[in-house]
Amino acid sequence: MDWLERAAKLRQWSRDGVRAPHKPLLLLYALGRFQADAEGRLLYSAVEADLKHLLAEYGPARGTTPAYPFHHLVNDGVWEVRTDHGVGSPGTGVRELRAGRATGRLAPDLRVALRREPSLLGRMARVLLDLHFPPSLHQDLCEAVGLAPERAETDALTAPQRRQRDRRMREMVLTAYEYRCAFCGYDGMIGTVPVALEAAHVRWWAFDGPDDVDNGLCLCSLHHKLFDKGVLGMGDGHRILVSQRFVGRSPAAREHVTALADRPLIGPRPGAHPVAAAHRSWHLRQVFHGSPRPATAY
């Protein structure tokens, strides 16, 4: 039984690049809890708040309940659910899961495999992270689910039938934007080497985003993280969007985030391809949180 392949092929609802990271988030959470307590069971009513928080922070903008992955992950052979009545999930109803004192944990065969080969846990985590989330969120997500990064072996893996990234993309994107953050204009270097400038995928690579200039932005480290977390986006006319859900009271937050609302992007240089409308639209639907705030005068 190939556990890496099972992790890579979780059955998910998918259409037109819609993100559905519910099962991957639950499995990552379960791996983190297994790492802390290999014998522990996860009582639904006790972990429901944790799972809701993960879905709100790392899932798509549309709301959902953790009851769905808690029930449906059983079908992938990596998870089991029990209630006071024995093995089996009572369904996707929150009331039923709470009333039946439903508990979940990794499937018995998977627990045996993880004890026999401890490095498998880190390799499964890497497959889930690579296939469903951009690299800028991996560290934060490991910490959120309780996976110790040094134990999770987050080195790159060879998984079945995975696409290879184009190593040239970073240089192509940074060149197109003349080594400046497209949101704030930051252009720091040490000597001739850019520092804290990154090539961000607009449509995430994990969701078939191509390694092309028209799917990339040159962003500083701060704005790359905020872009991948859905705080920032792009609207019509390649103007910057700032989520109304973002709250920042300090002068720094106002200057570096809130004040960006409705500003035009910086770049790309003449002759370079701007971000394609299809990729911009995907990010707006699948990553950006809520509605954009209007431009604010300071």
Side-chain angles (χ1 to χ4, degrees), residues 194-215:
V195 60
L197 283 172
E198 302 164 0
H201 282 76
V202 178
R203 181 177 180 132
W204 292 356
W205 186 86
F207 287 83
D208 298 321
D211 289 328
D212 297 332
V213 171
D214 70 357
N215 187 42

Side-chain angles (χ1 to χ4, degrees), residues 19 57 59 61 137 204 223-233 241-246 283-284 286-291:
R19 294 177 59 220
E57 187 165 1
L137 300 184
W204 292 356
H223 291 130
H224 188 178
K225 177 65 69 68
L226 295 174
F227 187 65
D228 283 347
K229 291 295 287 285
V231 172
L232 299 175
L241 304 179
V242 179
S243 172
Q244 288 192 0
R245 297 181 185 177
F246 175 78
H283 185 276
L284 191 59
Q286 299 301 321
V287 181
F288 187 74
H289 278 274
S291 302

Side-chain angles (χ1 to χ4, degrees), residues 5-236:
E5 188 170 357
R6 287 205 176 187
K9 295 182 177 179
L10 296 179
R11 282 175 269 183
Q12 298 170 271
W13 185 88
S14 180
R15 186 180 67 191
D16 298 330
V18 172
R19 294 177 59 220
H22 312 75
K23 286 183 178 180
L25 283 170
L26 174 57
L27 185 50
L28 282 167
Y29 183 80
L31 289 170
R33 295 295 291 266
F34 180 89
Q35 193 177 59
D37 178 8
E39 300 301 325
R41 291 183 174 276
L42 305 181
L43 180 67
Y44 178 79
S45 58
V47 301
E48 183 179 11
D50 282 352
L51 297 175
K52 278 185 176 180
H53 180 76
L54 284 173
L55 286 169
E57 187 165 1
Y58 296 99
R62 65 185 185 282
T64 188
T65 168
Y68 287 102
F70 202 92
H71 168 75
H72 287 297
L73 189 60
V74 171
N75 298 328
D76 294 279
V78 297
W79 178 251
E80 69 170 8
V81 176
R82 291 173 178 264
T83 66
D84 290 340
H85 304 293
V87 179
S89 171
T92 58
V94 172
R95 290 183 180 178
E96 289 76 8
L97 287 166
R98 292 173 181 165
R101 292 184 52 78
T103 62
R105 64 174 176 173
L106 300 176
D109 288 346
L110 177 53
R111 299 199 306 272
V112 169
L114 290 170
R115 291 191 187 96
R116 185 174 60 244
E117 187 183 354
S119 66
L120 176 61
L121 187 148
R123 289 183 283 137
M124 287 184 69
R126 169 51 63 186
V127 168
L128 294 167
L129 290 167
D130 280 351
L131 291 179
H132 300 284
F133 305 97
S136 67
L137 300 184
H138 290 185
Q139 179 76 19
D140 291 349
L141 191 43
C142 280
E143 293 176 2
V145 300
L147 280 168
E150 66 276 9
R151 294 172 60 196
E153 296 189 9
T154 54
D155 292 334
L157 296 173
T158 301
Q161 299 181 347
R162 282 174 56 193
R163 291 190 299 142
Q164 296 297 312
R165 294 177 182 265
D166 188 338
R167 296 175 181 270
R168 301 170 299 171
M169 182 187 176
R170 179 178 183 274
E171 186 62 28
M172 291 190 298
V173 170
L174 266 59
T175 298
Y177 284 84
E178 300 180 298
Y179 296 88
R180 293 183 300 171
C181 175
F183 287 172
C184 70
Y186 168 82
D187 60 355
M189 291 192 176
I190 296 179
T192 59
V193 178
V195 60
L197 283 172
E198 302 164 0
H201 282 76
V202 178
R203 181 177 180 132
W204 292 356
W205 186 86
F207 287 83
D208 298 321
D211 289 328
D212 297 332
V213 171
D214 70 357
N215 187 42
L217 284 173
C218 176
L219 297 177
C220 67
S221 299
L222 170 65
H223 291 130
H224 188 178
K225 177 65 69 68
L226 295 174
F227 187 65
D228 283 347
K229 291 295 287 285
V231 172
L232 299 175
M234 285 182 297
D236 294 337

